[in-house]
């Protein structure tokens, strides 16, 4: 296996970064390599990480790559992908603010290796308090929103999280993919589309795999703790979140595509020009990205994958909220994922 660990200007939280690096350098796994990719950091974090990795590498094989510019999550991970050991059967993509449990990689792989249809997986990821769930897999709904399953819940409030289930996409903070499948079905044999840059990469990967006849699942493995939004936050989160959702509305077919509800949602996105500059700019750039993705991968069908249903009454209700996250129906539990049309 290969673990690709991505860094960008992380000196403000370097203690967390080094704890993350240490956790992945000490995985309980017999044969893996660590690929550290730095996206042209300018704050001194690369030098600290490089020195730390060389000092604490023990028996772990390490490759260190420094890009000459910031390629985002998608481009940075693709660079790591190209540098992987050609004998690797699995690749894990991880954030530099995620602290992994020692057994996580072995268990994630164990849950996927006996099913050739399963192409990617992620486990149970907690917020930094170790109690609140960050993600138990990813969901996308019929109005092109998405997020982490059971985000903000504790385990006792998230019924079904102790069992395997299929998800729309694996969580990019820490996910495992099968190399052969990615080589066979993804454009140019690379897991991500460079143009996505941030926030859309894992969702797009999951949808593309489902549309090619493969499966993505959540496995009940304690994967680790995520100190979320350390590299991105505020303006960037609003911008890339809106950008990704808007791009999905261009390329993902649902029952609301080409309907008045779909049009009204885009009009509401445009209205952010008055209340949130980052989201408005994300909407405009999302249109541009959507057109690019159409030329590169074409249309995708949401109903090939598990998805969150949005009834007409829910759609109308959420349409009039300033933020959809205010909706009581916004957080998704495993039992709420629909399984229409996939095998």
């Amino acid at each position: 296996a290969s673990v690709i660990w991505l860094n960008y200007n992380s000196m403000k939280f370097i203690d967390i970064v080094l704890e993350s690096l240490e956790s992945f350098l000490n995985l309980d796994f017999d044969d893996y390599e660590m690929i550290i990719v730095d996206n042209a950091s300018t704050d001194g974090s690369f030098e600290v990480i490089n020195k730390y990795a060389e000092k604490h590498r023990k028996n772990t094989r390490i490759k260190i790559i420094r890009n000459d510019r910031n390629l985002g999550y998608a481009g940075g991970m693709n660079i790591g992908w190209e540098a992987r050991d050609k004998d690797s059967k699995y690749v894990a993509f991880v954030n530099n603010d995620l602290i992994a449990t020692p057994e996580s990689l072995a268990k994630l792989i164990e849950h996927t290796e006996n099913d050739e249809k399963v192409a990617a997986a992620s486990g149970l990821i907690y917020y930094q308090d170790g109690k609140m769930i960050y993600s138990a897999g990813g969901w996308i709904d019929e109005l092109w929103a998405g997020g982490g399953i059971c985000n903000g819940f504790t385990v006792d409030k998230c019924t079904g999280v102790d069992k395997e289930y299929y998800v729309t996409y694996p969580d990019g903070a820490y996910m495992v993919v099968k190399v052969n499948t990615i080589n066979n079905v993804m454009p140019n044999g690379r897991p991500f589309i460079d143009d996505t840059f941030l926030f859309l990469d894992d969702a797009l990967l999951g949808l593309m795999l489902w549309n090619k006849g493969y499966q993505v699942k959540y496995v009940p493995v304690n994967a680790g703790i995520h100190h979320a939004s350390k590299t991105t936050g505020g303006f960037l989160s609003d911008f890339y979140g809106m950008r990704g959702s808007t791009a999905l509305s261009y390329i993902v077919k649902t029952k609301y595509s080409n309907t008045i509800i779909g049009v009204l949602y885009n009009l509401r996105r445009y209205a952010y020009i008055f209340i949130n500059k980052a989201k408005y700019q994300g909407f405009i750039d999302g249109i541009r990205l959507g057109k690019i993705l159409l030329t590169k991968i074409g249309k995708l069908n949401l109903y090939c994958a598990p998805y969150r249903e949005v009834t007409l009454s829910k759609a109308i209700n959420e349409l009039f909220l300033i933020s959809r996250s205010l909706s009581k129906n916004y957080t998704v539990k495993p039992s709420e994922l629909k399984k229409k049309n996939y095998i």
Side-chain angles (χ1 to χ4, degrees), residues 157-291:
K157 300 294 184 182
C158 187
T159 305
V161 78
D162 58 334
K163 299 179 177 64
E164 291 185 3
Y165 51 84
Y166 295 115
V167 295
T168 320
Y169 64 91
D171 196 290
Y174 185 4
M175 63 179 174
V176 170
V177 303
K178 289 181 177 175
V179 171
N180 284 344
T181 303
I182 300 299
N183 281 336
N184 291 335
V185 306
M186 299 301 289
N188 302 315
R190 307 176 88 190
F192 306 112
I193 308 297
D194 285 346
D195 303 270
T196 61
F197 198 78
L198 279 177
F199 278 28
L200 183 59
D201 24 63
D202 50 3
L204 200 58
L205 173 64
L207 285 170
M208 293 177 70
L209 289 172
W210 282 107
N211 273 257
K212 294 291 187 178
Y214 289 90
Q215 300 166 345
V216 180
K217 70 179 179 180
Y218 160 83
V219 297
V221 170
N222 180 1
I225 292 174
H226 189 204
H227 295 259
S229 300
K230 289 297 183 181
T231 300
T232 60
F235 183 95
L236 290 178
S237 292
D238 286 346
F239 174 85
Y240 284 107
M242 179 61 75
R243 176 178 179 262
S245 177
T246 303
L248 285 178
S249 72
Y250 264 74
I251 65 170
V252 178
K253 293 184 290 185
T254 81
K255 68 184 181 186
Y256 292 112
S257 299
N258 304 315
T259 68
I260 187 63
I261 292 292
V263 171
L264 288 174
Y265 262 88
N266 276 331
L267 286 175
R268 190 184 70 164
R269 290 187 178 108
Y270 186 83
Y272 275 110
I273 188 174
F274 302 108
I275 57 177
N276 188 310
K277 182 179 180 181
K279 289 189 176 183
Y280 171 70
Q281 291 181 355
F283 166 61
I284 297 300
D285 200 55
I287 295 173
R288 179 196 64 84
L289 177 60
K291 293 176 180 178

Side-chain angles (χ1 to χ4, degrees), residues 21 36 45-55 64:
L21 184 57
I36 297 171
S45 58
F46 170 75
E47 288 77 11
V48 173
I49 289 165
N50 190 19
K51 182 177 179 180
Y52 186 92
E54 290 297 336
K55 184 177 179 180
I64 300 176

Side-chain angles (χ1 to χ4, degrees), residues 7 15-16 58 81 86 89 98 110 154 160 166 184 194 196-197 208 215 234 251 263 278 314 327:
N7 180 69
D15 289 347
I16 293 171
K58 296 181 180 179
W81 173 267
K86 298 309 177 184
K89 297 180 181 179
L98 189 137
E110 179 184 347
T154 54
Y166 295 115
N184 291 335
D194 285 346
T196 61
F197 198 78
M208 293 177 70
Q215 300 166 345
I251 65 170
V263 171
K314 286 181 181 178
S327 171

